[in-house]
Structures are given as C-alpha cells and as structure tokens.
Amino acid sequence: MGQAARELVSSHLGLWLLLCSWGCLGSAEPRAPPDKIAIIGAGIGGTSAAYYLRQKFGKDVKIDLFERGEVGGRLATMTLQGQEYEAGGSVIHPLNLHMKRFVKDLGLSTVQSSGGLMGVYNGETLVFEESSWFIINIIKLIWQYGFQSLRMHMWVEDILDKFMRIYRYQSHDYAFSSVENLLHSLGGDDFTGMLNRTLLETLLKAGFSEKFLEEIVAPVMRVNYGQSTDIHGFVGAVSLTCTDSGLWAVEGGNKLVCSGLLKASKSNLISGSVMSIEEKTRTKEIGNPTKMYEVVYQTGSETRSDFYDIVLVATPLNRKMSNITFLNFDPPIEEFHQYYEHIVTTLVKGKLNSTTFSSRTLDNFGLSAILTTDNSDLFINSIAIVSSVREKNNPQSSTDGTNVWKIFSKETLTQEQLLKLFLSYDYTVKQQWLAYPHYKPPEKCPSIILHDQLYYVNGIEYAASAMEMSAIAAHNAALLAYHRWNGHTHMIDQEDLYEKLKTEL
Ligand SMILES: Cc1cc2nc3c(=O)[nH]c(=O)nc-3n(C[C@H](O)[C@H](O)[C@H](O)COP(=O)(O)OP(=O)(O)OC[C@H]3O[C@@H](n4cnc5c(N)ncnc54)[C@H](O)[C@@H]3O)c2cc1C
Ligand SMILES: *[C@@H]1O[C@H](CO)[C@@H](O)[C@H](O)[C@H]1NC(C)=O
Ligand SMILES: *[C@@H]1O[C@H](CO)[C@@H](O)[C@H](O)[C@H]1NC(C)=O
Ligand SMILES: *[C@@H]1O[C@H](CO)[C@@H](O)[C@H](O)[C@H]1NC(C)=O
C-alpha cells in the first residue's frame, strides 16, 4: 500500500472512530469483542462451545473452561484388563454432522459400531430375534408385526430429514433464543407438539400396534434412555434413529473429541468446581463501569474468583449434578429441579448363561445383544457384547465363549444377579451415572438465556440428550452470545428460515 493510500485509510479510520464515539451505540458497527468468557463444564457441550466461541469472537478473547472432574464428562471410558471401553455416550449416528466434522477437523479416526445379532427378552422368552440373513429379518418383522417396522423407519426418517435443517441454519449463523424456537424452525408445531405427548400416544395414534410398541419400540427406549414409551415423541424419534445402520464411534474413545476441541479452541482449562455466579459492576482499566459476572470456584482447598463478560453453563443445572448458586440476580434466575435418570453401566468379562434367555446353549445362542421389554421384574435394561475403543472389528463371539459384556441397569447389580446372567465371570467394573433427563411429557425446555450475557446449553437435553444435541446447542449458544453481544437481532429467532434459505442457495 502506498503512503497516500495508507494515510487515506488511517484518516478514514480516524474519522470513523470519531463518528463512532458519538453515535455507534445501537448501530450495526461491530462492538469491541469481550475480554473474557467462562464456560462451565468440559463435556462435549462445553468444549464444542469453546470451539464455536473462538470461531465467532476471534483469537483475542480469553476463554476459561471450568471442569471439576474429567474432560469429556459423560463421554468417558472404563478400563477392564488394560482395555478401554465406552462407559457413557457411545454411538454416533452417520448424520450427526457436527460430531463428524469435529472428528475430521481434529484428525481423529472412527470405528464402526454395528454389533452382531439382537434379540428381545420379555422376562420369559425371546419375543424377537434377528437372523444373520437379512432377508429373514425382513420376513420375520413382516410376519410378526406386519409392515410396521418399515413404516416406523419412514416416520423416523421424516423427522430426521426436517431435523437436518439445523445444519443449514447454523452454517448461515442463525441462532435461536429458546429450544422451542429452534425446534419450531425445524418442523413447526408438529415438532414442538412432539414434546407434549408421549411416544406411546403418538405412535398408537399413527396406527402402530401395541405388540410392536411393546416388543420393538420400548426395548429401544430402554437401551438408549433407560425409560419406556412414556417419554415424549421427539426424544423417542431420536432414540429410534439408533436402529439405523452405520452407527460409529471415535477410535480411542469419544472423549478424545472433547480434549481435541479444548486444545483447538485454545481455551484455558481450570480444574475446579464452580460454586456461584453473581452479577457485579466493575470498572475495567479503560472505559466506563460495566456489568460483569463473578464466577466463584473451588480448586483444591482454595476458593477463588474471576470476572467475565459472558458465561456459558454447559452442565445440567440442578443441585445433585452441578450445584451452582446464582447470587443476587433480580429477578432471580429460575431454579432447576431436573430429575436425571440413574443408570449403571457394568462391564463383565465372562461366559453368558444363555439358558437364562432361551433354551439354546451358548454354542448355538448366536446373539450378541439382548434388549428387554418394559417388565418391572427385569433387573437389566440391556446386555450386549462390546469391543474396546481400539478394536476396529465388530465384536465376535470368542472361541471359548468368554466375552466382554456391557450391561445397563437402573441399580447396581448384585453378585446374585450377576450369577444369574453368567455361567462364570472373571472381571467386572461399573460406573454410575445421572445419565439423561427423566422425560415426563408435556415437557418444557429450560431457558437458554438465563440473564443478559449468561447462557445455558443443557436445556436442549429436555428435547433429547445426545452428543450431537449438545454440540448443536453449543453452536447455537455461541452464535446467540455473539449476536446479542453485537446487537445483531436479525440473526436471532428468524421465522420461515427454511423458505428464506431455500431461495438463497
Ligand atoms: C450411559 C450413557 C449412555 C449414553 N449413550 C449415548 C449414545 O450412545 N449416543 C449419544 O449421542 N449420547 C449418549 N448419551 C448421552 C451423552 O453422553 C450426553 O448427552 C452428552 O455427553 C452430554 O454432554 P454435555 O457436555 O452436555 O454434559 P456432560 O458430559 O455431563 O458435561 C458436563 C461437565 O460439567 C462438569 N461440571 C458439572 N458441574 C460443575 C461445576 N459446578 N463446576 C465445574 N464443572 C462442573 C461435569 O464434571 C461434566 O464434566 C449417553 C449418556 C450416558 C450417561
Ligand atoms: C404444548 O403444551 C404447552 C402447554 O403445556 C402449550 O403451551 C403449547 O402450545 C403446546 N404446543 C403445541 C405445539 O401443541
Ligand atoms: C451445594 O453447595 C452448597 C454450598 O454452595 C452446599 O452447602 C451443599 O451441600 C451442596 N449440595 C450438594 C448436593 O452438593
Ligand atoms: C443358568 O440359568 C438357568 C435359568 O435361569 C438356571 O436354571 C441354571 O442353573 C443356570 N446355570 C448356571 C450354571 O448357573
């Protein structure tokens, strides 16, 4: 650039700055970026929020990520005999585009997690069994349930198809101020209405038989959400997408996405437990007094605090899980008393007692996953052979009949119960979770905007709890924070986005 041009630019800049100091407030000119942003929780929600916030606010903003446990949160592995296995969130749908993108951008690898054959046990007998012959499965399904499984597939695909619109909205930077608005933009009243009715009600109305709902749909809800068909229709549909083919996981463990995003976002990890958030007026080195949030946290035996322009809460807000107190907000921030489902993951290396489930001996058993119907006498939700996070192959039945089985149950299994399931076993490890919301329609999702610049990512779990949902909510919260910081109201809660963007591309 020549001298003259440079002077022209700088004088324009000077003029612009002068004008700006008079009249920029409320105009579309960019506001200075925030100095500091806090994120609470380093699960997939918090770490992907860090990643998207960095993209939007640029390299100069300081991002602190608070985590009191392990990076990954509900994405974690447990170790059995030196091998790691997924203990929490384990499978990812092929159309979960944010998760797919993260894995690609971070240079991670994937493993396919399609298992072997599945059966459904009702407490007495196997009411459904897959066969290794695809054509036989179809014939079986038609013979037992008519064309319902095909229709079910179409029902789910239709919802998934509309759901996929979110990726286009987000790639154009559009944000939503509530989970309901987000859902409404995807599928209108049909989508938000799904939160109001149980899956059972929705599917009975759509003409599915009670037998099909009991023997196929309920077992899928039990394995994915530890609940039955009395959950709402939307989370039910999300759960049913797990019956699609092409499910995958991250080689080495899904939690590697979280540590990768943390690093890529150049955020600062603070190992500590956040205890309270309070709005305070502060005078920065330059400028007028501004409202900021004071985050008080405990690290080791020390209590510390720091000030932030923007705060994102990326953990479920309730006393049992995050126990964060909001101090002196006027009006007070709504209290969350969300009840999360208690689920125990148990890994067992042993020989299954197949006669517990069928008359066949282990040699002829052939099933590697057993789901269960909604029978209160059953003490497990599901049991399946799993492969470690490094194994590229599908789990194979071992030659001596010993396998690593993953069991989901509501309560910790007793030794007596384990002896019912296994002829013999060598090792067991377990992990307890407050896993996902206890769904009870009609469902109202918690607010995303808790206060001026204070956002809540995990309210989306009340629509459905899944890795991809957290990533979508994190992207939305980052965009929302950015647009609200800069006064871009036209990027928030736009109506008819689908139609608008259709003509744009
Ligand atoms: C057993 C199980 C199976 C699942 N299966 C699947 C599956 O197959 N596919 C799928 O997509 N999803 C699955 N899910 C759901 C999925 O794991 C979650 O939806 C997702 O991991 C939630 O991520 P998050 O970041 O929103 O929350 P979290 O992972 O819970 O992260 C919140 C983090 O915040 C931290 N924290 C909390 N309070 C504080 C505080 N006061 N101060 C500092 N840190 C705090 C916590 O330690 C935690 O690390 C499963 C979940 C479970 C439990
Ligand atoms: C769902 O129910 C709530 C009340 O619980 C109501 O306000 C809302 O309009 C309902 N939504 C739809 C789409 O039916
Ligand atoms: C929540 O935190 C408060 C103090 O901030 C503490 O007194 C209380 O015991 C905590 N509750 C739980 C369930 O951890
Ligand atoms: C296996 O289970 C069956 C049925 O529950 C039971 O009768 C049998 O004793 C069990 N076998 C062993 C070796 O525990």
Side-chain angles (χ1 to χ4, degrees), residues 109-390:
S109 302
T110 62
V111 289
Q112 289 299 309
S113 48
S114 61
L117 302 179
M118 183 270 286
V120 176
Y121 180 65
N122 72 353
E124 280 172 21
T125 173
L126 290 169
V127 288
F128 179 75
E129 264 188 89
E130 273 184 319
S131 151
S132 50
W133 283 42
F134 181 67
I135 189 74
I136 292 195
N137 287 335
I138 292 185
I139 291 169
K140 267 189 181 166
L141 278 166
I142 291 173
W143 182 66
Q144 286 191 15
Y145 309 105
F147 282 96
Q148 308 214 27
S149 83
L150 205 66
R151 273 191 51 218
M152 176 63 66
H153 190 70
M154 286 161 62
W155 182 74
V156 173
E157 293 307 296
D158 181 54
I159 292 166
L160 186 58
D161 211 51
K162 294 197 174 104
F163 182 75
M164 299 288 288
R165 294 173 180 175
I166 191 63
Y167 299 114
R168 181 179 280 190
Y169 301 169
Q170 293 195 327
S171 72
H172 283 80
D173 274 6
Y174 287 101
F176 301 92
S177 66
S178 72
V179 176
E180 275 86 0
N181 286 356
L182 186 154
L183 290 179
H184 197 268
S185 79
L186 300 175
D189 287 346
D190 287 353
F191 259 45
T192 43
M194 274 197 279
L195 302 183
N196 281 359
R197 281 181 298 278
T198 66
L199 180 67
L200 184 72
E201 212 182 320
T202 308
L203 293 182
L204 281 178
K205 209 173 265 174
F208 290 94
S209 74
E210 263 171 58
K211 184 177 158 73
F212 183 71
L213 292 174
E214 265 166 39
E215 297 181 353
I216 300 290
V217 178
V220 173
M221 300 308 126
R222 280 169 66 85
V223 65
N224 286 323
Y225 288 107
Q227 293 158 74
S228 191
T229 49
D230 52 359
I231 66 180
H232 65 73
F234 185 77
V235 64
V238 168
S239 176
L240 282 163
T241 62
C242 289
T243 60
D244 287 347
S245 58
L247 301 181
W248 57 280
V250 179
E251 186 179 357
N254 295 328
K255 65 180 181 184
L256 295 182
V257 174
C258 302
S259 47
L261 289 172
L262 171 65
K263 196 154 168 251
S265 70
K266 299 197 164 60
S267 312
N268 173 40
L269 179 69
I270 299 178
S271 295
S273 187
V274 171
M275 300 192 298
S276 67
I277 301 173
E278 180 170 6
E279 191 193 26
K280 287 198 170 162
T281 304
R282 288 263 295 177
T283 310
K284 292 189 190 177
E285 295 99 76
I286 40 163
N288 299 320
T290 43
K291 299 256 185 197
M292 294 185 84
Y293 298 104
E294 183 178 32
V295 172
V296 178
Y297 60 99
Q298 196 148 25
T299 171
S301 54
E302 265 182 82
T303 302
R304 294 190 193 166
S305 78
D306 210 341
F307 286 88
Y308 297 91
D309 300 293
I310 298 174
V311 177
L312 266 73
V313 178
T315 169
L317 275 177
N318 62 46
R319 287 282 154 246
K320 272 192 189 161
M321 295 173 80
S322 49
N323 200 13
I324 298 168
T325 307
F326 296 98
L327 289 170
N328 302 326
F329 282 91
D330 185 26
I333 287 180
E334 68 185 286
E335 277 279 334
F336 298 95
H337 301 284
Q338 297 163 358
Y339 171 53
Y340 269 57
E341 199 75 24
H342 181 248
I343 294 287
V344 185
T345 311
T346 309
L347 287 181
V348 179
K349 184 168 187 192
K351 279 189 186 145
L352 191 75
N353 181 355
S354 62
T355 50
T356 303
F357 303 102
S358 88
S359 54
R360 295 198 303 273
T361 60
L362 195 52
D363 296 341
N364 305 315
F365 188 56
L367 298 181
S368 56
I370 299 157
L371 311 188
T372 57
T373 60
D374 192 21
N375 172 347
S376 54
D377 293 341
L378 291 167
F379 56 84
I380 62 167
N381 292 346
S382 63
I383 175 167
I385 299 177
V386 284
S387 34
S388 82
V389 295
R390 307 238 167 246

